[in-house]
Amino acid sequence: MIARRAVVALLLALGLGITGLFSGAAPAFAHAVLVGSDPGYGAMVEHSPARVSITFDEPVTAAQNAVTVTDRDGARADGGATESSDGGRTIVVPLRSGLADGTYLLGWSLLSADGHVVAGSIVFGIGVPPDLTVTDAPPDPLIAALEAVVRLLTALGYAGIALAVGIPLAARLVWPNAARERAIAQLVRLGATTTVVTALATFAVLPGRLGGAAGWGERGVWIQSATSLVGAALLARAVGASALAYFATAPGVLAGWAERSYRQVPQSSHVAPARVSAAAALAGGGIVVLSTAASGHAVAGEYRWAAVTSGVLHVIAMALWVGGVALVGLAWRTSRRAEVVARFGSVAAGAVAVLVVSGVFQSWRAVSPVEALWHTSWGLLLLVKIALVAIAVGTALVVRWIAVSGPDTGSARRFRWWGSARAGSGPRAVRFELGAQVAVLVVTALLTGVAPARDTYDPAVRLDAVVGPLRAEVDVDGAHAGRQEFTVRLRDSAGTAVDALEVTGRLERVGDAAGPVEVVFRRVEPVELGPDHFVSRPVRVPLAGEWRLRLTVVADRTNAYAATVPYRVW
């Protein structure tokens, strides 16, 4: 009962911590990246098309009312059901016939393969150049709230997986005689139940994330939720965790695992059922691990199969480490303390090694360039997670030192405060290590709700272009796809700032047939003495990749010069 109350308190503290961190949270950044549209952003078509389409770099799930086409007054211009093609990467939206000339906005709010909401819009014109100042409506606050709920459920689910999967594995490896099988079974059952509840609750939220409040009342949205990769993984996790809750705690199963054989199970009639239950529990644990690894960032981006494999190893290692620490706390006041800690030392070292290797691979996929590690929220959270893991490892070394030392040794006296324990619980050092691991789970849940660093890196860029006899210094306020603003300052060959009559610009994506993005500059008259400079109106750069900025500088009434400068949009 003490162990159960401790873990319940741990789960509640974890949930409250996540809730506090996500109060007022905004929707997650897009994880699926738009790679093309027809018509392209800012393009003009002569006649009303029969349909428009958007294409992403990974499969997406779209509810019927979550992809819309409206005119500049907000009136709907789409008609009929949306369709998907290209394995779910392309969404096709039919339009009503005979649309009037004007500016139209294609907006979407979709679910990407990694389980995150993707929202955005493009502007195109029929018969006339589009007005690029038209923007999409503000995001649905309900979806923002649901994203925060999902992060909370994710953190609680990780804690449940650590107990349900990690404790049986750790018992099999580090506790030769599970003298406290009942307490262990309670923890496994609690973890499995938590995993089932959080998985089903997260699935129940999916229709609202796909279609807003109306999504829960539409049968088709529920079907889309169940057949999406995210929904299928959640349902599979609930089934696997249910098997763990039922079979892993069957009579003799944990004792048999812990003893590495079933010879010492008290009643021989339990041997065959215990073997069957152990196999079923192992299958359930495998489903839980695989569905967890295959429903996050691993399924997006390059090297997906390697990423899923790495994710499986990462989840197993995480669960084994956390579960092992829980067992050490249970074994601390038994005669097996030194043996359990010694066995767990080598197991924990292997688990941490797997965590480091798989974590480095996952981070390599998510961080590009390296500077994004300390310039993005995802990168900073990753650094915090690394620091917490280091703290947990350092505390584990203290635990091992205390456990293998005699009570009267200098090492034990030096760490007397860390080694003291309350009745029914492990020492302070074990509780501190478990607390650090809980903090790691919290940060991991936060990482799942933030777009990877490669998707949010938004550096300020300085471009230099030779424009005839002049040199143009072009500052980009942020080179991430989306809203950008350019500032142009002109200098002569001696480096002296000079003025010009006019500056115009045009953006073109390398290798893309889509229409260019016109950049309109306005003159800025500085308060201090000095020549004027030019600042663009905000423009929307729709896609990442290599772009070219073509500048035209009208130096005076008779001379105009042009130059093209490449730059990278992240």
Side-chain angles (χ1 to χ4, degrees), residues 128-169:
V128 296
D131 180 3
L132 300 182
T133 64
V134 175
T135 58
D136 50 345
D140 187 347
L142 173 63
I143 295 179
L146 293 179
E147 290 298 302
V149 171
V150 169
R151 301 288 76 74
L152 167 62
L153 295 173
T154 299
L156 293 174
Y158 285 161
I161 292 169
L163 296 177
V165 176
I167 287 181
L169 286 176

Side-chain angles (χ1 to χ4, degrees), residues 510-532:
V510 176
D512 194 344
V517 178
E518 299 294 337
V519 184
V520 179
F521 287 90
R522 59 183 176 86
R523 182 188 301 275
V524 176
E525 299 178 357
V527 176
E528 68 276 7
L529 296 178
D532 300 344

Side-chain angles (χ1 to χ4, degrees), residues 81-165:
T82 60
E83 301 175 357
S84 64
S85 61
D86 192 20
R89 294 173 63 248
T90 298
I91 303 297
V92 180
V93 184
L95 299 181
R96 298 202 307 264
S97 60
L99 293 177
D101 292 350
T103 297
Y104 290 86
L105 179 73
L106 167 59
W108 61 85
S109 179
L110 313 169
L111 191 70
S112 64
D114 62 2
H116 297 279
V117 174
V118 181
S121 63
I122 64 168
V123 179
F124 65 94
I126 297 179
V128 296
D131 180 3
L132 300 182
T133 64
V134 175
T135 58
D136 50 345
D140 187 347
L142 173 63
I143 295 179
L146 293 179
E147 290 298 302
V149 171
V150 169
R151 301 288 76 74
L152 167 62
L153 295 173
T154 299
L156 293 174
Y158 285 161
I161 292 169
L163 296 177
V165 176

Side-chain angles (χ1 to χ4, degrees), residues 181-202:
E181 180 187 349
R182 181 179 178 184
I184 295 174
Q186 289 176 344
L187 291 177
V188 173
R189 192 177 294 115
L190 176 62
T193 303
T194 301
T195 304
V196 172
V197 171
T198 55
L200 293 179
T202 305

Side-chain angles (χ1 to χ4, degrees), residues 34-47:
L34 180 72
V35 296
S37 63
D38 183 20
Y41 173 81
M44 183 191 74
V45 294
E46 294 295 335
H47 305 287

